[in-house]
Amino acid sequence: MRNTATVAVLFCDVVGSTERLTRLGDEAGDEFRRRVFAELRRCVVESRGTEVKNLGDGLMVVFEHSTIDAIECAARMHTAAAGIDRVDPVHLRVGISVGEVAHEDADWFGTPVVEAARLCSAAATDQTLAPALVVSVVGSRGRAHRFRPVGALALKGLAAPLPSVEVDGAESVEGD
C-alpha cells in the first residue's frame, strides 16, 4: 500500500555550530542550543509545519498544507536566529523542496527530501535555496516573497543539475 503525499520539505542548518560550542564550552553550549532550537521550533509551529527530526545542528520539517508555509518558515527562522545573540549572531542555511514523498515510520523519503537536504548544504550563510519549480507551485500566492534564479546546481547524488532559486535574498526579485 502506497503512503505518499505531495509536501514541502525544509532542512535548516546552524552555521558554525561546532565552533560556537568550542567557544562557549559544553554547558553554555547546551543552553545555547536549547535556545536556538526553541526559536526554530516556534517558527515551525507558527508556519504549520511538522518537525520530522533534529539533525544535531538543524531540523528537517515537512509542510503538508502549503509550500508558502515552508517559505515563510524559512524567513521566520532566519529572523529568529539573527535575534538570539546580537553580539555573536546565529546564522542559518536553509533548503526547501516540494514533491511527492513516502511517509513511513514517522519519517519522509524520496527525491524532494534529498533535494531539500542538498540545497541546504549548498546554501550560503543566511541563504534559502529551493528548486525553481517552487516559483510555479506557489504562483501568484507567492507575491509576498522574492525569488532570484541562481542557475542549475549540481547537487551530490542527483543525476542532473537542479534549476534553483534563492528565496527572499537581499537581491531577489519579486515572484510573478
Side-chain angles (χ1 to χ4, degrees):
M1 176 174 155
R2 181 174 42 205
N3 190 15
T4 65
T6 302
V7 301
V9 181
L10 177 151
F11 278 81
C12 71
D13 175 58
V14 178
V15 176
S17 60
T18 302
E19 293 83 355
R20 187 181 298 265
L21 174 63
T22 301
R23 283 193 313 273
L24 295 175
D26 288 329
E27 292 200 14
D30 289 344
E31 177 56 32
F32 183 80
R33 178 182 38 77
R34 285 190 284 275
R35 283 181 37 222
V36 169
F37 278 98
E39 285 299 310
L40 295 177
R41 288 180 173 119
R42 180 184 56 77
C43 296
V44 170
V45 169
E46 289 175 356
S47 302
R48 301 185 313 152
T50 302
E51 179 182 342
V52 177
K53 56 184 144 188
N54 177 310
L55 305 165
D57 61 353
L59 295 175
M60 176 185 172
V61 181
V62 170
F63 298 84
E64 298 181 65
H65 304 287
S66 169
T67 300
I68 293 172
D69 287 347
I71 292 167
E72 290 176 355
C73 184
R76 284 182 172 132
M77 286 176 153
H78 284 294
T79 300
I84 291 170
D85 185 339
R86 301 276 185 210
V87 175
D88 187 9
V90 177
H91 301 281
L92 301 177
R93 284 189 283 269
V94 179
I96 298 171
S97 191
V98 63
E100 193 75 9
V101 297
H103 188 224
E104 297 175 16
D105 300 321
D107 206 346
W108 297 84
F109 303 91
T111 302
V113 175
V114 174
E115 288 175 353
R118 298 297 189 246
L119 286 164
C120 180
S121 293
T125 298
D126 298 326
Q127 185 179 47
T128 297
L129 293 176
L133 168 68
V134 164
V135 178
S136 295
V137 170
V138 300
S140 64
R141 295 186 189 277
R143 287 188 181 146
H145 300 280
R146 299 173 318 241
F147 304 92
R148 182 180 64 85
V150 294
L153 301 177
L155 302 172
K156 179 182 174 186
L158 297 182
L162 182 67
S164 302
V165 295
E166 177 181 24
V167 181
D168 290 335
E171 297 180 21
S172 300
V173 295
E174 287 189 22
D176 295 317

